[in-house]
């Protein structure tokens, strides 16, 4: 199972924070239009992420609802047949919700910076410090905290819930 340290925060000044992210990044920006269909899962979260170019990924992940850096474990399976897979999963597991977003992806070292404009929710920032099996989780937490500080993310901005949970709370 792959791992990363992840945070999610509501952007308090999206344009300014994006400019800070661009200054910190080694690569990007890459603009991604993503549609995530979430399915019922007995544990963790299961989503089919569809991209504008018709490629898709089935992503299963385990992450606690935490308002700070949290360890996330995940599996990703690429697919070129999103429609059939989505139909099969909807029939067998049931669909929870669909999250649509435009993501600006930046890379800063081993960290993926996501500046997300999420339909019906607003503007957010996600950080993912990608880990190898040999990497120290505590060091990655410190890296995440350093980026939180550099991007001007306050403790009040940090979110415990995933986008799908925030969307379901509105319904």
């Amino acid at each position: 199972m792959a791992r990363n340290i992840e945070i999610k925060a509501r952007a308090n000044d999206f344009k300014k924070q994006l400019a800070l992210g661009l200054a910190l990044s080694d690569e990007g920006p890459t603009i991604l239009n993503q549609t995530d269909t979430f399915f019922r899962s007995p544990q963790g979260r299961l989503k089919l992420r569809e991209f504008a170019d018709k490629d898709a990924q089935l992503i299963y992940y385990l992450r606690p609802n935490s308002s700070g850096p949290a360890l996330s474990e995940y599996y990703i399976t690429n697919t070129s047949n999103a429609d059939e897979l989505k139909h099969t999963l909807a029939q067998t597991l049931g669909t929870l919700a669909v999250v649509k977003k435009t993501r600006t992806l930046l890379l800063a070292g081993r960290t993926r910076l996501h500046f997300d404009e999420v339909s019906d929710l607003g503007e957010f920032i996600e950080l993912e410090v990608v880990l190898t099996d040999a990497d120290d989780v505590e060091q990655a937490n410190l890296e995440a905290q350093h980026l939180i500080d550099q991007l001007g993310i306050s403790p009040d901005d940090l979110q415990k819930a995933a986008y799908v949970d925030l969307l379901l709370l509105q319904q």
Side-chain angles (χ1 to χ4, degrees), residues 6-10 63 124-126 157-159 161-163:
E6 202 172 302
I7 71 103
K8 183 185 309 301
R10 189 169 289 280
R63 186 188 71 232
F124 293 84
I125 301 167
E126 280 188 355
D157 298 330
L158 294 171
Q159 302 291 301
Y163 295 142

Side-chain angles (χ1 to χ4, degrees), residues 9-24 106 113 115 123-125 147-154 157:
R10 189 169 289 280
N12 58 49
D13 188 338
F14 192 77
K15 288 181 182 176
K16 178 182 175 186
Q17 289 172 302
L18 177 57
L20 290 169
L22 286 164
L24 293 168
L106 304 171
L113 291 77
F115 291 84
E123 299 169 326
F124 293 84
I125 301 167
L147 285 167
I148 288 168
D149 296 340
Q150 288 182 300
L151 292 170
I153 297 170
S154 75
D157 298 330

Side-chain angles (χ1 to χ4, degrees), residues 107-165:
L107 300 176
R110 66 176 173 170
T111 303
R112 297 169 54 92
L113 291 77
H114 302 156
F115 291 84
D116 293 339
E117 298 170 81
V118 184
S119 296
D120 300 321
L121 290 178
E123 299 169 326
F124 293 84
I125 301 167
E126 280 188 355
L127 304 177
E128 295 177 351
V129 183
V130 179
L131 300 171
T132 67
D133 289 340
D135 284 333
D136 179 56
V137 171
E138 190 53 43
Q139 178 60 38
N141 280 327
L142 293 173
E143 288 178 42
Q145 187 59 56
H146 182 68
L147 285 167
I148 288 168
D149 296 340
Q150 288 182 300
L151 292 170
I153 297 170
S154 75
D156 291 339
D157 298 330
L158 294 171
Q159 302 291 301
K160 289 183 180 182
Y163 295 142
V164 65
D165 299 329

Side-chain angles (χ1 to χ4, degrees), residues 6 8 32-39 46-61 63 74 76-82 85-86 89 99 101 103 112 114 116 126 128 163:
E6 202 172 302
K8 183 185 309 301
L32 303 167
N33 292 305
Q34 300 176 335
T35 300
D36 291 345
T37 302
F38 283 81
F39 303 96
L46 180 67
K47 65 184 172 185
L48 181 65
R49 172 166 290 159
E50 297 174 85
F51 299 94
D53 66 3
K54 303 296 180 194
D55 284 336
Q57 297 175 322
L58 183 64
I59 303 169
Y60 170 74
Y61 65 102
R63 186 188 71 232
Y74 59 92
I76 297 176
T77 302
N78 294 310
T79 181
S80 59
N81 199 341
L85 184 56
K86 182 171 28 177
L89 291 168
V99 176
K101 66 182 170 290
R103 169 168 284 174
R112 297 169 54 92
H114 302 156
D116 293 339
E126 280 188 355
E128 295 177 351
Y163 295 142

